[in-house]
Amino acid sequence: MKTVKNKQLVVGAGFAGYPLKEAVVAHLKKKGWEITDLGVTAPDQDKENTDLMFHRVGLRVGACISEGEFDRALLFCGTGMGIHIAASKCPRVHAGVVESVPAAQL
């Protein structure tokens, strides 16, 4: 298994993925990861703010990977379909949907 030397991660979430993102981020911070959050960062944020729509968050996070600012990212939304498609539009980004622990391990 590859060892991760740089424990930095960029994350993003749409409104539907916000609760899961918060739980995962809290766990990762306890494990020593440095997290940069580019998505919805509070449950009461303006749902009409188009900058927080899942596809825009996916593009922002994808751009960070594409431009070499980060090596890895996690994205969260209701189904995972839209946000991963948006992130994958960025060069050299290959996002995928993971719906279970066994799938994530593979």
Side-chain angles (χ1 to χ4, degrees):
M1 177 178 242
K2 183 178 176 184
T3 303
V4 177
K5 294 178 184 173
N6 180 356
K7 295 181 94 173
Q8 293 182 334
L9 187 70
V10 62
V11 299
F15 288 101
Y18 172 79
L20 179 59
K21 179 201 63 142
E22 289 299 298
V24 170
V25 165
H27 174 75
L28 290 172
K29 283 183 176 180
K30 287 180 189 173
K31 299 284 187 182
W33 285 81
E34 182 182 321
I35 307 295
T36 300
D37 192 343
L38 299 181
V40 175
T41 56
D44 58 351
Q45 282 186 284
D46 180 15
K47 289 187 176 15
E48 300 300 316
N49 183 347
T50 58
D51 283 339
L52 296 176
M53 293 178 143
F54 66 89
H55 60 285
R56 294 200 182 200
V57 172
L59 283 171
R60 269 198 306 278
V61 171
C64 286
I65 299 297
S66 183
E67 294 170 5
E69 294 177 47
F70 291 88
D71 293 328
R72 58 193 50 86
L74 292 174
L75 294 165
F76 303 86
C77 77
T79 64
M81 296 299 185
I83 203 165
H84 106 273
I85 290 170
S88 293
K89 298 286 184 187
C90 299
R92 297 176 303 283
V93 174
H94 306 283
V97 178
V98 178
E99 296 175 339
S100 67
V101 172
Q105 291 171 332
L106 290 172

